[in-house]
């Protein structure tokens, strides 16, 4: 099969790789219908996370089940499925509590590499959710978004306790931040402030349900949020970037007693204990338990209540995977969808 491999900084290639096979009886093999490039794929692509050997890339996927192992009970060949970027058994106490990304047997899908024609999914019954029938092509981008960015934005909004009567601020205007805006809208938030300085992303944020746009960053951004909230700060703030500045902006934009949901993968961040002490806010975050939300998200997408697939503003054949990385690296695209 053809699959994407990262060789080093800025060097991603599509190459012939061995077809994946059933290694454990709980595995499934998918024929990928669509995959995509994640903002987190850019960390190794930019050399910020070192690449020591050629590495399969991609952890977001939708596809059709080709084959299942002997212990798979519910997932069947021929089904169209959406899966989380963490494989999980969905039965252990951590999964049962809704934290499947930290399953006692969690497996990172990035190790398998979904930017490819075929994909091995461990723990298939726990990880995959089938759609009611084969989807029409126009639903595929939205279903793909549920695999990571929508589920992650949703967790961010849930962790920030977005809900009726709440003012929610979202730090970060990448695909996850935009999906957090959409999630906050679905959760009934009264006011949703998107922090963005890019015109195309502001437009999508407004379409997804933002009521206000703040272009300022850092301390100016915090001051602007305070100004919009009677000097108090937002009830709920989603951090969807993962830098020192964005996390401090999120914490300081939150009113005392409010909630920060943080879903950006941190790089080189240090929090001051006294800043945390005086912030007097709830902090909740981590790798999103996307599997918890998949059935509900698939239902909303299937019934055309939400259209998160709009975050894909570039669609390329898998052969042009390198261009997908370049376009996102250079911020020419919010998110690139790849068709094998
Ligand atoms: Zn588990």
């Amino acid at each position: 099969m053809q699959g994407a491999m990262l060789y080093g900084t800025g060097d991603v290639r599509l190459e012939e790789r061995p077809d994946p096979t059933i290694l454990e009886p709980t595995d499934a093999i998918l024929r990928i219908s669509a995959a995509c490039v994640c903002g987190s794929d850019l960390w190794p692509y930019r050399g910020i996370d070192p690449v020591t050997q050629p590495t399969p890339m991609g952890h977001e996927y939708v596809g059709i089940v080709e084959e299942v192992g002997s212990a798979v009970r519910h997932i069947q060949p021929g089904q169209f499925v959406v899966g989380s970027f963490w494989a999980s058994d969905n039965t252990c106490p951590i999964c049962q509590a809704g934290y499947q990304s930290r399953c006692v047997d969690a497996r990172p899908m990035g190790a398998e590499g979904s930017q490819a024609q075929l994909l091995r999914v461990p723990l298939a019954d726990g990880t995959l959710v089938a759609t009611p029938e084969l989807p029409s092509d126009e639903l595929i981008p939205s279903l793909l978004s549920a695999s990571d960015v929508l589920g992650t934005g949703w967790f961010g909004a849930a962790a920030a306790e977005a809900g009726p009567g709440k003012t929610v601020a979202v730090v970060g205007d990448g695909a996850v931040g935009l999906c957090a805006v959409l999630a906050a809208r679905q959760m009934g938030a009264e006011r949703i402030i998107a922090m963005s300085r890019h015109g195309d992303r502001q437009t999508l944020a407004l379409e997804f349900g933002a009521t206000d746009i703040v272009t300022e960053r850092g301390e100016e951004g915090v001051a602007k949020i305070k100004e919009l909230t009677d000097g108090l700060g937002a009830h709920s703030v989603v951090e969807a970037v993962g830098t020192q500045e964005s996390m401090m902006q999120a914490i300081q934009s939150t009113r005392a007693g409010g909630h920060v949901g943080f879903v950006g993968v941190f790089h080189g961040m240090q929090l001051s204990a006294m800043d945390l002490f005086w912030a007097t806010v709830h902090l909740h975050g981590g790798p999103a338990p996307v599997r918890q939300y998949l059935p509900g998200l698939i239902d909303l997408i299937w019934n055309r209540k939400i259209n998160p697939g709009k975050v894909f503003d570039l669609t390329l054949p898998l052969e042009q995977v390198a261009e997908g990385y370049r376009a996102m690296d250079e911020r020419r695209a919010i998110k690139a969808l790849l068709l094998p």
Side-chain angles (χ1 to χ4, degrees), residues 40-87:
S40 65
D41 294 334
L42 296 180
W43 293 103
Y45 179 79
R46 289 170 171 159
I48 297 165
D49 291 341
V51 180
T52 51
Q53 57 184 18
T55 307
M57 293 300 288
H59 54 264
E60 299 153 284
Y61 56 96
V62 291
I64 293 179
V65 180
E66 287 241 314
E67 188 187 352
V68 296
S70 58
V72 176
R73 294 284 170 266
H74 304 295
I75 294 298
Q76 295 162 9
Q79 285 178 323
F80 186 96
V81 291
V82 186
S84 162
F85 63 98
W86 280 95

Side-chain angles (χ1 to χ4, degrees), residues 54-225:
T55 307
M57 293 300 288
H59 54 264
E60 299 153 284
Y61 56 96
V62 291
I64 293 179
V65 180
E66 287 241 314
E67 188 187 352
V68 296
S70 58
V72 176
R73 294 284 170 266
H74 304 295
I75 294 298
Q76 295 162 9
Q79 285 178 323
F80 186 96
V81 291
V82 186
S84 162
F85 63 98
W86 280 95
S88 57
D89 60 19
N90 209 28
T91 55
C92 77
I94 304 296
C95 284
Q96 289 296 296
Y99 287 83
Q100 289 90 339
S101 51
R102 299 302 310 279
C103 173
V104 296
D105 197 14
R107 323 271 184 94
M109 289 304 301
E112 308 293 329
S114 67
Q115 292 159 8
Q117 292 172 316
L118 296 167
L119 177 70
R120 180 180 84 100
V121 180
L123 306 169
D125 276 337
T127 305
L128 300 171
V129 178
T131 54
E133 37 191 289
L134 293 183
S136 57
D137 284 352
E138 116 265 5
L139 285 180
I140 286 180
S142 286
L143 291 166
L144 175 63
S145 76
S147 180
D148 181 354
V149 286
L150 175 61
T152 297
W154 202 275
F155 174 57
E161 307 232 329
K166 298 279 185 77
T167 293
V168 179
V170 177
V171 181
D173 63 359
V176 170
L178 292 167
C179 286
V181 168
L182 183 154
R185 169 56 59 222
Q186 288 293 314
M187 292 171 190
E190 183 173 307
R191 192 169 192 192
I192 303 168
I193 306 166
M195 306 190 82
S196 170
R197 49 176 59 182
H198 301 90
D200 53 340
R201 297 168 191 232
Q202 293 170 0
T203 304
L204 197 49
L206 292 168
E207 198 175 320
F208 279 175
T211 53
D212 301 82
I213 301 284
V214 165
T215 56
E216 290 85 351
R217 283 187 190 173
E219 289 187 4
E220 288 179 356
V222 172
K224 194 73 194 178
I225 298 288

